[in-house]
PDB file of all heavy atoms in Angstrom:
ATOM      1  N   THR A 775     -27.118 -19.620 -25.815  1.00 98.00           N
ATOM      2  CA  THR A 775     -26.949 -18.329 -26.585  1.00 98.00           C
ATOM      3  C   THR A 775     -27.540 -18.359 -27.952  1.00 98.00           C
ATOM      4  O   THR A 775     -27.675 -17.250 -28.532  1.00 98.00           O
ATOM      5  CB  THR A 775     -25.417 -17.949 -26.713  1.00 98.00           C
ATOM      6  OG1 THR A 775     -24.798 -19.108 -27.420  1.00 98.00           O
ATOM      7  CG2 THR A 775     -24.779 -17.701 -25.405  1.00 98.00           C
ATOM      8  N   ALA A 823     -22.996  -4.242 -23.832  1.00 98.00           N
ATOM      9  CA  ALA A 823     -23.240  -5.079 -25.153  1.00 98.00           C
ATOM     10  C   ALA A 823     -23.218  -6.552 -24.908  1.00 98.00           C
ATOM     11  O   ALA A 823     -23.697  -7.344 -25.688  1.00 98.00           O
ATOM     12  CB  ALA A 823     -22.132  -4.602 -26.120  1.00 98.00           C
ATOM     13  N   SER A 824     -22.435  -7.029 -24.004  1.00 98.00           N
ATOM     14  CA  SER A 824     -22.242  -8.453 -23.650  1.00 98.00           C
ATOM     15  C   SER A 824     -21.839  -8.670 -22.256  1.00 98.00           C
ATOM     16  O   SER A 824     -21.471  -7.744 -21.412  1.00 98.00           O
ATOM     17  CB  SER A 824     -21.036  -8.953 -24.617  1.00 98.00           C
ATOM     18  OG  SER A 824     -19.912  -8.333 -24.251  1.00 98.00           O
ATOM     19  N   GLY A 825     -21.730  -9.901 -21.941  1.00 98.00           N
ATOM     20  CA  GLY A 825     -21.384 -10.454 -20.617  1.00 98.00           C
ATOM     21  C   GLY A 825     -19.956 -10.038 -20.300  1.00 98.00           C
ATOM     22  O   GLY A 825     -19.614  -9.662 -19.165  1.00 98.00           O
ATOM     23  N   THR A 826     -19.229 -10.287 -21.426  1.00 98.00           N
ATOM     24  CA  THR A 826     -17.755  -9.979 -21.262  1.00 98.00           C
ATOM     25  C   THR A 826     -17.562  -8.458 -21.029  1.00 98.00           C
ATOM     26  O   THR A 826     -16.834  -8.062 -20.129  1.00 98.00           O
ATOM     27  CB  THR A 826     -16.946 -10.373 -22.627  1.00 98.00           C
ATOM     28  OG1 THR A 826     -17.140 -11.761 -22.800  1.00 98.00           O
ATOM     29  CG2 THR A 826     -15.527 -10.101 -22.521  1.00 98.00           C
ATOM     30  N   MET A 827     -18.298  -7.642 -21.761  1.00 98.00           N
ATOM     31  CA  MET A 827     -18.183  -6.202 -21.483  1.00 98.00           C
ATOM     32  C   MET A 827     -18.693  -5.885 -20.061  1.00 98.00           C
ATOM     33  O   MET A 827     -17.993  -4.969 -19.332  1.00 98.00           O
ATOM     34  CB  MET A 827     -18.968  -5.393 -22.402  1.00 98.00           C
ATOM     35  CG  MET A 827     -18.766  -3.869 -22.285  1.00 98.00           C
ATOM     36  SD  MET A 827     -19.728  -2.856 -23.593  1.00 98.00           S
ATOM     37  CE  MET A 827     -18.724  -3.065 -25.101  1.00 98.00           C
ATOM     38  N   ASN A 829     -18.255  -7.749 -17.294  1.00 98.00           N
ATOM     39  CA  ASN A 829     -17.201  -8.176 -16.367  1.00 98.00           C
ATOM     40  C   ASN A 829     -15.992  -7.218 -16.666  1.00 98.00           C
ATOM     41  O   ASN A 829     -15.369  -6.818 -15.560  1.00 98.00           O
ATOM     42  CB  ASN A 829     -16.787  -9.671 -16.649  1.00 98.00           C
ATOM     43  CG  ASN A 829     -17.801 -10.516 -16.089  1.00 98.00           C
ATOM     44  OD1 ASN A 829     -18.546 -10.350 -15.165  1.00 98.00           O
ATOM     45  ND2 ASN A 829     -17.901 -11.761 -16.801  1.00 98.00           N
ATOM     46  N   HIS A 850     -15.200 -17.904 -16.151  1.00 98.00           N
ATOM     47  CA  HIS A 850     -15.157 -17.298 -17.410  1.00 98.00           C
ATOM     48  C   HIS A 850     -14.266 -16.060 -17.348  1.00 98.00           C
ATOM     49  O   HIS A 850     -13.554 -15.820 -18.329  1.00 98.00           O
ATOM     50  CB  HIS A 850     -16.634 -16.795 -17.596  1.00 98.00           C
ATOM     51  CG  HIS A 850     -16.926 -16.435 -19.092  1.00 98.00           C
ATOM     52  ND1 HIS A 850     -16.483 -15.189 -19.611  1.00 98.00           N
ATOM     53  CD2 HIS A 850     -17.529 -17.037 -20.033  1.00 98.00           C
ATOM     54  CE1 HIS A 850     -16.908 -15.063 -20.805  1.00 98.00           C
ATOM     55  NE2 HIS A 850     -17.423 -16.239 -21.253  1.00 98.00           N
ATOM     56  N   ILE A 851     -14.178 -15.300 -16.356  1.00 98.00           N
ATOM     57  CA  ILE A 851     -13.396 -14.086 -16.290  1.00 98.00           C
ATOM     58  C   ILE A 851     -11.846 -14.516 -16.436  1.00 98.00           C
ATOM     59  O   ILE A 851     -11.058 -13.777 -16.874  1.00 98.00           O
ATOM     60  CB  ILE A 851     -13.583 -13.226 -15.109  1.00 98.00           C
ATOM     61  CG1 ILE A 851     -13.274 -13.814 -13.717  1.00 98.00           C
ATOM     62  CG2 ILE A 851     -15.002 -12.547 -15.015  1.00 98.00           C
ATOM     63  CD1 ILE A 851     -13.140 -12.747 -12.609  1.00 98.00           C
ATOM     64  N   GLU A 855     -12.025 -14.731 -21.361  1.00 98.00           N
ATOM     65  CA  GLU A 855     -12.115 -13.334 -21.721  1.00 98.00           C
ATOM     66  C   GLU A 855     -10.738 -12.770 -22.262  1.00 98.00           C
ATOM     67  O   GLU A 855     -10.411 -11.626 -22.041  1.00 98.00           O
ATOM     68  CB  GLU A 855     -12.762 -12.479 -20.524  1.00 98.00           C
ATOM     69  CG  GLU A 855     -14.190 -13.000 -20.316  1.00 98.00           C
ATOM     70  CD  GLU A 855     -14.897 -12.298 -19.185  1.00 98.00           C
ATOM     71  OE1 GLU A 855     -14.377 -11.332 -18.596  1.00 98.00           O
ATOM     72  OE2 GLU A 855     -15.995 -12.680 -18.781  1.00 98.00           O
ATOM     73  N   GLU A 903     -18.728 -17.037  -9.840  1.00 98.00           N
ATOM     74  CA  GLU A 903     -19.734 -17.216 -10.977  1.00 98.00           C
ATOM     75  C   GLU A 903     -20.954 -18.097 -10.520  1.00 98.00           C
ATOM     76  O   GLU A 903     -20.779 -19.114  -9.884  1.00 98.00           O
ATOM     77  CB  GLU A 903     -18.805 -17.971 -12.010  1.00 98.00           C
ATOM     78  CG  GLU A 903     -19.466 -18.160 -13.418  1.00 98.00           C
ATOM     79  CD  GLU A 903     -18.476 -18.600 -14.451  1.00 98.00           C
ATOM     80  OE1 GLU A 903     -17.356 -18.133 -14.484  1.00 98.00           O
ATOM     81  OE2 GLU A 903     -18.879 -19.744 -14.996  1.00 98.00           O
ATOM     82  N   ASN A 904     -22.120 -17.628 -10.921  1.00 98.00           N
ATOM     83  CA  ASN A 904     -23.279 -18.275 -10.538  1.00 98.00           C
ATOM     84  C   ASN A 904     -24.421 -18.104 -11.576  1.00 98.00           C
ATOM     85  O   ASN A 904     -24.808 -16.961 -11.738  1.00 98.00           O
ATOM     86  CB  ASN A 904     -23.749 -17.734  -9.299  1.00 98.00           C
ATOM     87  CG  ASN A 904     -24.814 -18.594  -8.507  1.00 98.00           C
ATOM     88  OD1 ASN A 904     -25.077 -19.671  -8.930  1.00 98.00           O
ATOM     89  ND2 ASN A 904     -25.317 -18.169  -7.315  1.00 98.00           N
ATOM     90  N   THR A 905     -24.858 -19.192 -12.274  1.00 98.00           N
ATOM     91  CA  THR A 905     -24.418 -20.660 -12.006  1.00 98.00           C
ATOM     92  C   THR A 905     -22.870 -20.721 -12.557  1.00 98.00           C
ATOM     93  O   THR A 905     -22.540 -19.859 -13.527  1.00 98.00           O
ATOM     94  CB  THR A 905     -25.189 -21.500 -12.865  1.00 98.00           C
ATOM     95  OG1 THR A 905     -25.157 -21.213 -14.354  1.00 98.00           O
ATOM     96  CG2 THR A 905     -26.604 -21.376 -12.495  1.00 98.00           C
ATOM     97  N   HIS A 906     -22.144 -21.635 -12.138  1.00 98.00           N
ATOM     98  CA  HIS A 906     -20.935 -21.933 -12.644  1.00 98.00           C
ATOM     99  C   HIS A 906     -20.927 -22.778 -13.849  1.00 98.00           C
ATOM    100  O   HIS A 906     -21.140 -23.973 -13.724  1.00 98.00           O
ATOM    101  CB  HIS A 906     -19.949 -22.477 -11.503  1.00 98.00           C
ATOM    102  CG  HIS A 906     -18.477 -22.297 -11.786  1.00 98.00           C
ATOM    103  ND1 HIS A 906     -17.930 -22.852 -12.937  1.00 98.00           N
ATOM    104  CD2 HIS A 906     -17.485 -21.667 -11.205  1.00 98.00           C
ATOM    105  CE1 HIS A 906     -16.564 -22.599 -12.995  1.00 98.00           C
ATOM    106  NE2 HIS A 906     -16.281 -21.829 -11.900  1.00 98.00           N
ATOM    107  N   ASN A 907     -20.526 -22.146 -15.008  1.00 98.00           N
ATOM    108  CA  ASN A 907     -20.606 -22.932 -16.250  1.00 98.00           C
ATOM    109  C   ASN A 907     -19.853 -24.179 -16.274  1.00 98.00           C
ATOM    110  O   ASN A 907     -20.352 -25.329 -16.292  1.00 98.00           O
ATOM    111  CB  ASN A 907     -20.294 -21.907 -17.410  1.00 98.00           C
ATOM    112  CG  ASN A 907     -20.270 -22.592 -18.706  1.00 98.00           C
ATOM    113  OD1 ASN A 907     -20.471 -23.850 -18.953  1.00 98.00           O
ATOM    114  ND2 ASN A 907     -20.083 -21.763 -19.757  1.00 98.00           N
ATOM    115  N   ASP A 936     -20.238 -12.764 -11.336  1.00 98.00           N
ATOM    116  CA  ASP A 936     -20.450 -12.986 -12.818  1.00 98.00           C
ATOM    117  C   ASP A 936     -21.780 -13.921 -12.827  1.00 98.00           C
ATOM    118  O   ASP A 936     -21.648 -15.091 -12.627  1.00 98.00           O
ATOM    119  CB  ASP A 936     -19.278 -13.777 -13.425  1.00 98.00           C
ATOM    120  CG  ASP A 936     -19.516 -14.055 -14.923  1.00 98.00           C
ATOM    121  OD1 ASP A 936     -20.652 -13.693 -15.361  1.00 98.00           O
ATOM    122  OD2 ASP A 936     -18.606 -14.495 -15.539  1.00 98.00           O
ATOM    123  N   GLY A 937     -22.807 -13.180 -12.945  1.00 98.00           N
ATOM    124  CA  GLY A 937     -24.182 -13.816 -12.788  1.00 98.00           C
ATOM    125  C   GLY A 937     -24.777 -14.034 -14.238  1.00 98.00           C
ATOM    126  O   GLY A 937     -25.955 -13.738 -14.350  1.00 98.00           O
ATOM    127  N   ALA A 938     -23.948 -14.301 -15.165  1.00 98.00           N
ATOM    128  CA  ALA A 938     -24.389 -14.496 -16.598  1.00 98.00           C
ATOM    129  C   ALA A 938     -25.670 -15.326 -16.580  1.00 98.00           C
ATOM    130  O   ALA A 938     -26.589 -14.987 -17.264  1.00 98.00           O
ATOM    131  CB  ALA A 938     -23.243 -15.254 -17.299  1.00 98.00           C
ATOM    132  N   ARG A 939     -25.717 -16.394 -15.792  1.00 98.00           N
ATOM    133  CA  ARG A 939     -27.023 -17.198 -15.686  1.00 98.00           C
ATOM    134  C   ARG A 939     -27.495 -17.255 -14.234  1.00 98.00           C
ATOM    135  O   ARG A 939     -28.053 -18.358 -13.817  1.00 98.00           O
ATOM    136  CB  ARG A 939     -26.608 -18.644 -16.113  1.00 98.00           C
ATOM    137  CG  ARG A 939     -26.247 -18.678 -17.589  1.00 98.00           C
ATOM    138  CD  ARG A 939     -26.174 -20.198 -18.108  1.00 98.00           C
ATOM    139  NE  ARG A 939     -25.860 -20.253 -19.558  1.00 98.00           N
ATOM    140  CZ  ARG A 939     -24.452 -20.192 -19.946  1.00 98.00           C
ATOM    141  NH1 ARG A 939     -23.454 -19.987 -19.111  1.00 98.00           N
ATOM    142  NH2 ARG A 939     -24.245 -20.269 -21.319  1.00 98.00           N
ATOM    143  N   CYS A 964     -26.437 -11.845 -18.060  1.00 98.00           N
ATOM    144  CA  CYS A 964     -26.680 -11.920 -19.457  1.00 98.00           C
ATOM    145  C   CYS A 964     -28.123 -12.030 -19.882  1.00 98.00           C
ATOM    146  O   CYS A 964     -28.860 -12.776 -19.222  1.00 98.00           O
ATOM    147  CB  CYS A 964     -25.980 -13.099 -20.112  1.00 98.00           C
ATOM    148  SG  CYS A 964     -24.163 -13.049 -20.210  1.00 98.00           S
ATOM    149  N   SER A 966     -28.972 -12.404 -23.017  1.00 98.00           N
ATOM    150  CA  SER A 966     -28.982 -13.117 -24.333  1.00 98.00           C
ATOM    151  C   SER A 966     -28.675 -14.481 -24.265  1.00 98.00           C
ATOM    152  O   SER A 966     -28.432 -15.164 -25.245  1.00 98.00           O
ATOM    153  CB  SER A 966     -28.148 -12.380 -25.248  1.00 98.00           C
ATOM    154  OG  SER A 966     -26.753 -12.527 -24.838  1.00 98.00           O
ATOM    155  N   LYS A 967     -28.745 -15.176 -22.991  1.00 98.00           N
ATOM    156  CA  LYS A 967     -28.717 -16.568 -22.931  1.00 98.00           C
ATOM    157  C   LYS A 967     -30.066 -17.258 -22.794  1.00 98.00           C
ATOM    158  O   LYS A 967     -30.806 -17.124 -23.702  1.00 98.00           O
ATOM    159  CB  LYS A 967     -27.701 -16.928 -21.858  1.00 98.00           C
ATOM    160  CG  LYS A 967     -26.200 -16.429 -22.307  1.00 98.00           C
ATOM    161  CD  LYS A 967     -25.156 -16.741 -21.337  1.00 98.00           C
ATOM    162  CE  LYS A 967     -23.837 -16.348 -22.027  1.00 98.00           C
ATOM    163  NZ  LYS A 967     -22.761 -16.394 -21.118  1.00 98.00           N
ATOM    164  N   GLY A 974     -27.097  -8.304 -25.394  1.00 98.00           N
ATOM    165  CA  GLY A 974     -26.790  -7.423 -24.144  1.00 98.00           C
ATOM    166  C   GLY A 974     -26.789  -8.196 -22.750  1.00 98.00           C
ATOM    167  O   GLY A 974     -27.314  -9.336 -22.575  1.00 98.00           O
ATOM    168  N   SER A 975     -26.258  -7.420 -21.812  1.00 98.00           N
ATOM    169  CA  SER A 975     -26.240  -7.777 -20.359  1.00 98.00           C
ATOM    170  C   SER A 975     -26.436  -6.670 -19.679  1.00 98.00           C
ATOM    171  O   SER A 975     -26.339  -5.403 -20.151  1.00 98.00           O
ATOM    172  CB  SER A 975     -24.692  -8.347 -20.138  1.00 98.00           C
ATOM    173  OG  SER A 975     -24.512  -9.611 -20.584  1.00 98.00           O
ATOM    174  N   MET A1050     -27.668 -27.440 -17.991  1.00 98.00           N
ATOM    175  CA  MET A1050     -26.528 -27.960 -18.707  1.00 98.00           C
ATOM    176  C   MET A1050     -26.382 -29.449 -18.257  1.00 98.00           C
ATOM    177  O   MET A1050     -26.491 -29.881 -17.207  1.00 98.00           O
ATOM    178  CB  MET A1050     -25.162 -27.236 -18.297  1.00 98.00           C
ATOM    179  CG  MET A1050     -25.371 -25.893 -18.730  1.00 98.00           C
ATOM    180  SD  MET A1050     -23.761 -25.004 -18.309  1.00 98.00           S
ATOM    181  CE  MET A1050     -24.112 -23.355 -18.967  1.00 98.00           C
TER     182      MET A1050
HETATM  183  C1  PLP B2545     -21.570 -16.142 -21.510  1.00 88.86           C
HETATM  184  C2  PLP B2545     -20.784 -15.762 -20.300  1.00 88.86           C
HETATM  185  C3  PLP B2545     -20.172 -14.678 -20.156  1.00 88.86           C
HETATM  186  C4  PLP B2545     -19.920 -13.671 -21.283  1.00 88.86           C
HETATM  187  O1  PLP B2545     -21.063 -13.262 -22.013  1.00 88.86           O
HETATM  188  P1  PLP B2545     -20.850 -12.881 -23.565  1.00 88.86           P
HETATM  189  O2  PLP B2545     -22.203 -12.096 -23.789  1.00 88.86           O
HETATM  190  O3  PLP B2545     -20.630 -14.172 -24.342  1.00 88.86           O
HETATM  191  O4  PLP B2545     -19.630 -11.964 -23.594  1.00 88.86           O
HETATM  192  C5  PLP B2545     -19.587 -14.417 -18.924  1.00 88.86           C
HETATM  193  N1  PLP B2545     -19.650 -15.211 -17.908  1.00 88.86           N
HETATM  194  C6  PLP B2545     -20.200 -16.389 -17.980  1.00 88.86           C
HETATM  195  C7  PLP B2545     -20.270 -17.298 -16.828  1.00 88.86           C
HETATM  196  C8  PLP B2545     -20.820 -16.748 -19.185  1.00 88.86           C
HETATM  197  O5  PLP B2545     -21.479 -17.888 -19.331  1.00 88.86           O
END
Side-chain angles (χ1 to χ4, degrees):
T775 56
S824 68
T826 302
M827 187 180 279
N829 286 329
H850 196 280
I851 62 165
E855 296 181 5
E903 190 172 305
N904 196 5
T905 63
H906 195 302
N907 178 352
D936 179 354
R939 294 187 180 83
C964 285
S966 65
K967 292 184 172 168
S975 284
M1050 294 185 182

